[in-house]
Amino acid sequence: MTRPVTGGGGGQRLLDRHPRAGRQEALRHQMLRVRGRSVAWVPPLLILIGIAVLDIFTPDDFRIISWIVLVPGIAAAICSVWTTAAFVVLSLLTYVVVDSVWPDDFHVGLPDLILIALGGLLATAACAVRIRGEERILHIRGIAETIRRTVLRPLPMHWGGLDHAAVYMPADTYARVGGDFYDIQPGPHGTRVLVGDVQGKGIGAVEMMAALLGTFRESAYHEPDITTVAERLEVRIRRHREHVAALGRTDLDRFATAVLLDFPQDAKDAVDVVNFGHDPPLIAGPHGVRTLPPTGGLPLGLGDLVPPEVPTLPPVRRFPLAADETLLLTTDGVTEARAPDGGFYPLTVEVTRALAADPRTARPRRLAALVRDGVLRHSRGHLEDDTTVFAVRRI
């Protein structure tokens, strides 16, 4: 499901109108509804009528009325159980009526009637299984989404003196919540922001995400130095992996890429950045787009792979940030979104073009919505990885 852009309004989208369903379910529901009413019964009805009409107007030696056994099967794929059962009865009645129109010598007879009845019973049972499976998938997805909402707390508007907007879109996988995360923590030493992505999916990724966010919320509030916050995050991920190992689990190789931001109180026109192997943020403003240089930092949890004499934490870099400029942070679901021809989503090019057409696109809500819609359009709605877009600027 696609999350609306937080921090403000935004128009209703196809995927927003089906918040509990996955992308495929949402598309099917949309295609089978007109003005809010279900039209799933129309395709099998048209096929039923078409078979009956063709059977009447085809030559005597070419009877196709027995093809009516397809109708309950089609209904089972798109209709409810009761609608499918109704089409079974309607198919049997249509068969009897159409077959009786022909002279006795050309009747298809009882064998095909039994075939249609058995096919209808099987179709009805298959429809019941399908409906139960869909309900279970939606239930599991609902549980996963509840877990994610519990870990990723809602962010108030203008929280910590920042104007922000966030979009989260899960990948095209059922009931496998990913590890994208973001948060804002105001405190006595300034406002800090964390955006990142835990490697992998499932409950293990959510556990690590929760551990990192909990550590960030406490250390970002209490610690005056952003370097100490970065150290706490690295230590926390190692402690989490030790705990997982003590439980005898095998998912010990998880790590997380992240960007830690500090909006210092003593520099209103600057931002401090610590990049743990994440995609470099973009700064978008009325005068264009610039990409912050990568710092070469390792992802969180991989610091123990380097020799002791090599620094494990990436450096803190300060960059100028004007009042009308927005920091744009994305996870790799954006930069790795592929078109049907295999091309990656050109994030910088798209943002630059949009800003040239309308400098107001640099506002967080507009910028997040632009990237969200661009990724969905570029990938035709098929996302290979969880996708997060986070835009933030000072008020």
Side-chain angles (χ1 to χ4, degrees):
M1 74 221 78
T2 300
R3 284 280 164 266
V5 177
T6 60
Q12 287 288 328
R13 295 293 194 272
L14 165 62
L15 302 180
D16 296 327
R17 288 197 288 270
H18 302 277
R20 293 191 59 211
R23 258 179 291 277
Q24 296 174 351
E25 289 90 354
L27 289 172
R28 186 177 70 246
H29 293 166
Q30 178 71 7
M31 289 187 296
L32 299 179
R33 299 187 74 86
V34 175
R35 296 182 179 179
R37 295 186 176 184
S38 174
V39 294
W41 52 271
V42 173
L45 180 61
L46 292 178
I47 294 173
L48 177 67
I49 295 173
I51 291 174
V53 171
L54 286 175
D55 186 78
I56 293 175
F57 288 99
T58 50
D60 300 347
D61 56 349
F62 187 72
R63 298 293 311 281
I64 65 169
I65 190 60
S66 58
W67 293 8
I68 212 168
V69 72
L70 298 174
V71 173
I74 295 172
I78 58 177
C79 297
S80 66
V81 176
W82 287 109
T83 303
T84 302
F87 271 109
V88 174
V89 175
L90 187 58
S91 297
L92 290 171
L93 293 176
T94 303
Y95 175 86
V96 172
V97 171
V98 173
D99 198 39
S100 64
V101 171
W102 290 85
D104 293 343
D105 293 343
F106 299 105
H107 282 183
V108 177
L110 183 62
D112 282 358
L113 180 65
I114 296 175
L115 174 65
I116 295 171
L118 290 177
L121 292 175
L122 292 175
T124 304
C127 181
V129 172
R130 174 183 66 84
I131 295 295
R132 183 175 300 177
E134 289 182 353
E135 290 176 347
R136 183 181 180 189
I137 288 174
L138 293 179
H139 178 68
I140 295 175
R141 288 184 69 95
I143 293 174
E145 181 61 19
T146 300
I147 294 173
R148 188 175 175 83
R149 287 184 180 181
T150 302
V151 176
L152 280 180
R153 62 183 181 180
L155 296 177
M157 293 182 63
H158 302 161
W159 184 233
L162 301 179
D163 184 12
H164 61 86
V167 173
Y168 169 72
M169 298 182 291
D172 294 330
T173 54
Y174 288 111
R176 298 204 65 197
V177 64
D180 289 7
F181 58 90
Y182 54 84
D183 201 6
I184 298 175
Q185 182 57 61
H189 310 290
T191 300
R192 280 74 184 262
V193 175
L194 182 66
V195 178
D197 179 12
V198 174
Q199 177 264 337
K201 294 182 181 295
I203 297 300
V206 175
E207 289 176 345
M208 181 171 285
M209 177 176 66
L212 289 173
L213 286 175
T215 300
F216 167 74
R217 289 162 185 163
E218 291 302 310
S219 61
Y221 181 87
H222 291 288
E223 298 296 341
D225 189 353
I226 192 66
T227 302
T228 306
V229 179
E231 291 175 350
R232 293 285 185 87
L233 292 172
E234 176 66 28
V235 171
R236 184 65 183 91
I237 201 169
R238 296 187 189 182
R239 289 173 52 205
H240 176 76
R241 293 199 304 195
E242 291 173 358
H243 177 260
V244 171
L247 292 174
R249 285 165 41 183
T250 58
D251 53 337
L252 306 177
D253 57 347
R254 292 188 188 273
F255 58 89
T257 63
V259 176
L260 177 62
L261 306 178
D262 182 20
F263 292 85
Q265 296 176 329
D266 59 350
K268 299 297 185 181
D269 58 350
V271 61
D272 294 334
V273 180
V274 182
N275 192 330
F276 295 94
H278 201 76
D279 292 335
L282 300 181
I283 294 182
H287 304 293
V289 179
R290 67 183 191 272
T291 303
L292 299 186
T295 60
L298 292 173
L300 289 165
L302 298 185
D304 53 354
L305 299 181
V306 299
E309 64 273 10
V310 178
T312 59
L313 291 177
V316 180
R317 300 282 299 275
R318 176 164 290 189
F319 300 96
L321 184 67
D324 57 355
E325 291 183 321
T326 298
L327 272 164
L328 177 65
L329 302 99
T330 63
T331 57
D332 53 11
V334 172
T335 54
E336 296 179 4
R338 289 179 178 268
D341 61 1
F344 292 108
Y345 175 65
L347 174 62
T348 305
V349 174
E350 290 290 323
V351 174
T352 302
R353 183 184 297 118
L355 288 174
D358 184 0
R360 294 176 299 176
T361 305
R363 297 173 182 174
R365 280 188 297 168
R366 293 193 177 196
L367 191 58
L370 168 75
V371 178
R372 174 198 62 190
D373 295 344
V375 169
L376 290 174
R377 183 172 54 252
H378 182 79
S379 64
R380 303 296 191 270
H382 182 73
L383 302 177
E384 297 290 344
D385 195 3
D386 287 1
T387 301
T388 295
V389 183
F390 193 85
V392 61
R393 66 159 67 171
R394 290 185 187 267
I395 297 177

